[in-house]
Amino acid sequence: MSELVTLLVKATAILGGLGLAVGVMLVVASKKFKVETNPLVDEIVEVLPGANCGACGYAGCADFAERVVNEGAPINGCPVGGFDVAKEIGGIVGQEVAEGEEQYPFVRCNGGLNCVDRFEYVGFEDCKAVMMLSDGEKGCNYGCMGRGTCVRACPFSALSIGEDRLPHVNKNLCTSCGLCIASCPNDILVFAKESEKVHVLCMSHDKGKAVKESCTVGCIGCKICEKSCPEEAIKVTNFLAEIDQEKCTACGLCVEKCPQNTISIR
Amino acid sequence: MAEDALFSIFMDGLFIKNFLLIQFLGLCSFVGVTKDIKSAAGMSGAVVFVMAMASTVSYLLYTYILVPTKMEFLDLISFIVVIAALVQLVEFVVRKNIPSLYRSLGIYLPLITTNCAVLGAVILNENAGYNFAQSVVFGTSAGLGYTIVMLMMAGIRERSTFVNVPSAIRGLPQAFFIALMLSMAFVNYFWVIPI
């Protein structure tokens, strides 16, 4: 018994002594090699969400904080933190933030199961892989492949592929970092502001006949919406309707008139 | 005899027991910080310092404290404490004097603590029963061997960014191919395989 105790005491003493010696050495070294950092940088790092996702365009949260203080990077540069974080950073460095509107990724395709398949794809479940085979198995070359490349790109699991084989955005989880938008090989996802109510859910520039053959909800470029809009906010160019969000008042006339139900209001 | 033995230990650490390409220790920094020569050289400098110092300090610790008190079983934990402290020291110095290098090394600098090559050098010293001079020589030469390979790898990778390779191989896979060829060269030249 006493042997065990002496062993324990000895071991504790050796490790403790070692730890103490090392600790003292490190304290002295840290005093000697102290780096003068701007205290503002540390404060901003505290405020930032710390996801280190790189969506701000810098190496990480710490790098962003340093750039804000030293190089005047935009204080609302953090898309994850959004307006609240920008306001706090503004409080630290003494800048006012204009309230920006929240924007979320928006799916510009309503194809999914409404779109005809040209062949049966068997292989790796990834949009980019599907696109390698003659631009995918869909009859439409502009639409969503529905294989979830964006879902896997999202670090916050805000996206999911629904029953209709289309991605859906969960706004509660979304931080508007834009990684899904960057990952989409067909540019289906775009940022849309909350106030922008009316959207064309199609990206096809094919002629009307070709669209009708492949997809039941695609834009055929018939210009009925263009004629029906009282604000002249819609323009059809190259067989695809586009909405000028500045002019649109979300009256819903075009949504009613569209024969293909391509335009939707939310 | 003694000088001859020291020289052969030195060459051992440099080539024959090369830590990266023959013993496969410390590979994460080998792949992680060899994108450009500058950060590879900085990392190598830090590793050389930590390896040499760790060999020295842990030899003294082992022979004059652990062995007399019959506490040899504490070797791993006390070596790790020593290495961690040395890495902290290096981090302070690099951060103070070369902030650009500190940023480019990023997470790999604190990771020297868990760099198996450093602990490997210390443990190999202990297992081989080297005396003080031999330990220091082996630790230093192991670090220098690490440096040689890091610089070769970084040089090749810097130039190979201009080579036209299929996009599927570009980046890390390419680095692994380079590592494979370097390793084959090392094994063939410095460590003849007994058949």
Side-chain angles (χ1 to χ4, degrees):
Chain A
M1 186 64 196
S2 66
E3 246 177 57
L4 192 67
V5 172
T6 39
L7 195 72
L8 264 175
V9 169
K10 257 161 112 187
T12 319
I14 285 175
L15 274 186
L18 187 65
L20 196 69
V22 162
V24 168
M25 184 200 81
L26 281 180
V27 166
V28 172
S30 74
K31 282 270 156 59
K32 199 173 172 198
F33 294 104
K34 194 170 167 93
V35 182
E36 290 298 325
T37 48
N38 198 329
L40 290 180
V41 175
D42 294 331
E43 270 184 63
I44 295 178
V45 171
E46 287 281 305
V47 172
L48 287 170
N52 283 316
C53 60
C56 53
Y58 301 110
C61 292
D63 196 28
F64 172 68
E66 210 181 303
R67 303 290 177 113
V68 168
V69 175
N70 296 331
E71 294 168 28
I75 52 173
N76 56 358
C78 177
V80 179
F83 179 66
D84 293 337
V85 167
K87 210 163 74 179
E88 283 188 64
I89 298 176
I92 293 168
V93 296
Q95 277 181 39
E96 283 289 316
V97 236
E99 178 146 15
E101 200 179 350
E102 301 211 15
Q103 49 180 11
Y104 296 106
F106 183 81
V107 184
R108 275 196 294 178
C109 176
N110 205 14
L113 295 177
N114 299 319
C115 195
V116 179
D117 287 351
R118 285 184 293 164
F119 53 85
E120 196 174 328
Y121 172 78
V122 179
F124 195 61
E125 285 286 311
D126 184 84
C127 301
K128 286 172 188 167
V130 179
M131 297 247 323
M132 280 180 186
L133 284 173
S134 64
D135 283 340
E137 87 270 52
K138 300 274 188 203
C140 166
N141 282 349
Y142 300 89
C144 174
M145 297 292 145
R147 307 282 172 177
T149 296
C150 51
V151 174
R152 285 185 291 278
C154 180
F156 308 99
S157 8
L159 285 120
S160 59
I161 296 288
E163 292 274 295
D164 51 359
R165 305 288 295 156
L166 287 168
H168 293 271
V169 182
N170 182 345
K171 286 178 188 164
N172 295 329
L173 295 173
C174 178
T175 60
S176 313
C177 68
L179 290 175
C180 54
I181 291 175
S183 77
C184 180
N186 237 358
D187 299 329
I188 299 297
L189 291 161
V190 284
F191 270 130
K193 289 187 184 133
E194 277 294 87
S195 63
E196 299 171 355
K197 296 287 183 202
V198 184
H199 293 277
V200 179
L201 296 181
C202 187
M203 289 186 60
S204 171
H205 287 292
D206 281 344
K207 287 183 183 171
K209 192 169 171 247
V211 172
K212 270 198 163 166
E213 276 170 7
S214 61
C215 184
T216 54
V217 291
C219 178
I220 53 175
C222 63
K223 300 200 177 182
I224 290 176
C225 51
E226 192 178 310
K227 284 165 199 153
S228 70
C229 182
E231 309 289 332
E232 295 180 348
I234 305 184
K235 252 192 109 170
V236 177
T237 43
N238 209 358
F239 303 102
L240 180 61
E242 270 174 51
I243 295 175
D244 188 341
Q245 299 289 356
E246 304 254 303
K247 290 182 186 165
C248 176
T249 56
C251 63
L253 275 177
C254 53
V255 181
E256 275 172 38
K257 289 277 165 65
C258 177
Q260 292 284 92
N261 296 323
T262 308
I263 307 179
S264 89
I265 188 162
R266 56 171 183 180
Chain B
M1 173 62 200
E3 274 172 34
D4 190 47
L6 277 187
F7 182 73
S8 79
I9 286 172
F10 186 77
M11 294 315 268
D12 258 16
L14 219 52
F15 296 120
I16 294 152
K17 291 183 186 164
N18 187 289
F19 273 64
L20 285 175
L21 291 182
I22 286 168
Q23 312 218 38
F24 302 125
L25 292 170
L27 288 182
C28 83
S29 58
F30 178 54
V31 181
V33 273
T34 46
K35 279 192 198 106
D36 59 301
I37 288 185
K38 195 170 165 282
S39 53
M43 180 77 180
S44 304
V47 169
V48 171
F49 174 77
V50 173
M51 268 191 180
M53 288 301 288
S55 302
T56 316
V57 176
S58 62
Y59 176 81
L60 296 175
L61 191 71
Y62 188 73
T63 338
Y64 295 109
I65 297 180
L66 295 185
V67 172
T69 51
K70 295 201 175 57
M71 287 282 148
E72 288 97 336
F73 63 88
L74 287 178
D75 53 357
L76 265 180
I77 189 165
S78 47
F79 291 167
I80 287 285
V81 169
V82 168
I83 292 168
L86 286 169
V87 171
Q88 279 292 312
L89 195 64
V90 171
E91 204 182 326
F92 287 147
V93 175
V94 172
R95 193 172 181 184
K96 170 86 176 174
N97 296 325
I98 330 170
S100 63
L101 181 67
Y102 178 77
R103 210 167 298 139
S104 72
L105 287 180
I107 187 69
Y108 289 99
L109 195 56
L111 269 184
I112 305 177
T113 312
T114 51
N115 191 326
C116 39
V118 179
L119 186 65
V122 177
I123 297 278
L124 285 179
N125 276 338
E126 191 200 317
N127 287 351
Y130 287 152
N131 64 26
F132 181 69
Q134 286 168 329
S135 295
V136 175
V137 166
F138 185 72
T140 316
S141 68
L144 292 176
Y146 176 93
T147 309
I148 292 173
V149 177
M150 288 289 276
L151 290 182
M152 279 165 73
M153 180 76 169
I156 296 172
R157 273 183 80 177
E158 256 188 8
R159 280 154 189 77
S160 69
T161 46
F162 303 112
V163 180
N164 217 353
V165 294
S167 59
I169 305 176
R170 197 157 294 157
L172 272 186
Q174 198 182 358
F176 278 105
F177 278 113
I178 297 167
L180 160 82
M181 283 172 221
L182 271 179
S183 188
M184 290 208 297
F186 258 69
V187 168
N188 278 313
Y189 277 112
F190 301 118
W191 194 75
V192 181
I193 309 168
I195 300 170

